[in-house]
Amino acid sequence: VTMPLFVVATPIGNLDDASPRMKQVLESADLVLCEDTRRTRALFSALDLTAPKLVSCHAHNEHGRVERVIERLRKGEVIALVSDAGTPAVSDPGGHIVASAHQNGVPVHVVAGPSSVIAAVAVSGFSGTPFHFLGFPPRKPGAIRKVLTEASSLPGILVFLESGRRIGKVVQVMAELMPDREAVICRELTKHYEEVIRGSVSSLPTT
């Protein structure tokens, strides 16, 4: 009997956000596909779960995993897909695995849970719809400018992901293009030092 592929959301910081269903699916899995096996092993340890076989599944090897994953699902094995934090396949590895499961007639079930994107929209104080999730912006200032210029014409909220080391560059470009636009920076969501800063783009910190 072909088993469904489980797409499992994991905590983005606070371990108390781990749902009973998330724990049950992960512990019952024969195989867990992970963005980083070290991070996932640490999660299992922190939640006092027994880790099954963990296999890396990231941008550099995801395509090569597909055939074996589909074969094992068709043999009745339970396979879960996770990323380092939050919901897989949303600016994280896993999208190709999920698409291939659909293409091969394998059911895909989601174990819903934490999402940094939805969390950020929820605490922004902006009207939640429409919003446009644009993932990680490019790294070069010229390319960032092009993306932001094109995105600025979209109605509603623009949501980007960026690392703490590079957020300053994005804010600087935004301040040039749309200094009076209201924006929010969300850092360390659900963690001890969670911070939500809202104001005009020109007033936001760049460090």
Side-chain angles (χ1 to χ4, degrees), residues 6 29 79 94 114 122 124 134 143 148 174 185 188 192-193 196 204-205:
F6 288 96
I79 298 180
S124 72
L134 302 172
L148 290 175
M174 289 178 68
I185 294 177
E188 302 290 303
H192 182 71
Y193 294 105
V196 179
L204 295 177

Side-chain angles (χ1 to χ4, degrees), residues 134-148:
L134 302 172
F136 286 92
R139 296 191 177 189
K140 295 183 178 179
I144 294 174
R145 184 182 300 275
K146 181 175 185 295
V147 167
L148 290 175

Side-chain angles (χ1 to χ4, degrees), residues 140-159:
K140 295 183 178 179
I144 294 174
R145 184 182 300 275
K146 181 175 185 295
V147 167
L148 290 175
T149 300
E150 293 173 351
S152 64
S153 63
L154 295 171
I157 305 171
L158 308 178
V159 184

Side-chain angles (χ1 to χ4, degrees), residues 93-110:
H96 184 68
I97 293 284
V98 173
S100 297
H102 287 299
Q103 292 162 5
N104 284 276
V106 173
V108 179
H109 291 181
V110 66

Side-chain angles (χ1 to χ4, degrees), residues 63-200:
H63 285 70
R65 300 290 190 212
V66 170
E67 186 175 343
R68 182 62 177 147
V69 167
I70 299 300
E71 179 183 320
R72 293 182 68 158
L73 288 166
R74 285 178 170 160
K75 288 182 177 178
E77 293 190 41
V78 176
I79 298 180
L81 169 69
V82 301
S83 60
D84 286 347
T87 303
V90 182
S91 280
D92 275 327
H96 184 68
I97 293 284
V98 173
S100 297
H102 287 299
Q103 292 162 5
N104 284 276
V106 173
V108 179
H109 291 181
V110 66
V111 179
S115 164
S116 60
V117 176
I118 298 300
V121 173
V123 300
S124 72
F126 299 141
S127 173
T129 53
F131 76 84
H132 307 275
F133 176 56
L134 302 172
F136 286 92
R139 296 191 177 189
K140 295 183 178 179
I144 294 174
R145 184 182 300 275
K146 181 175 185 295
V147 167
L148 290 175
T149 300
E150 293 173 351
S152 64
S153 63
L154 295 171
I157 305 171
L158 308 178
V159 184
F160 292 93
L161 298 177
E162 189 51 283
S163 73
R165 298 189 306 275
R166 292 194 294 269
I167 185 64
K169 291 182 179 179
V170 177
V171 172
Q172 287 172 1
V173 175
M174 289 178 68
E176 294 176 23
L177 296 175
M178 50 189 90
D180 298 324
R181 184 163 180 156
E182 286 286 300
V184 172
I185 294 177
C186 301
R187 295 171 169 165
E188 302 290 303
L189 289 178
T190 77
K191 300 177 184 178
H192 182 71
Y193 294 105
E194 178 175 315
E195 186 177 25
V196 179
I197 307 170
R198 175 170 167 165
S200 64

Side-chain angles (χ1 to χ4, degrees), residues 12-46:
I12 61 175
N14 193 319
L15 290 176
D16 287 339
D17 290 337
S19 70
R21 184 170 179 238
M22 184 214 84
K23 295 177 183 178
Q24 184 274 321
V25 169
L26 289 184
E27 195 157 41
S28 67
D30 298 298
L31 175 71
V32 176
L33 300 169
C34 322
E35 184 176 358
D36 184 329
T37 56
R38 294 166 298 181
R39 292 283 295 271
T40 302
R41 197 174 301 283
L43 174 67
F44 271 84
S45 178

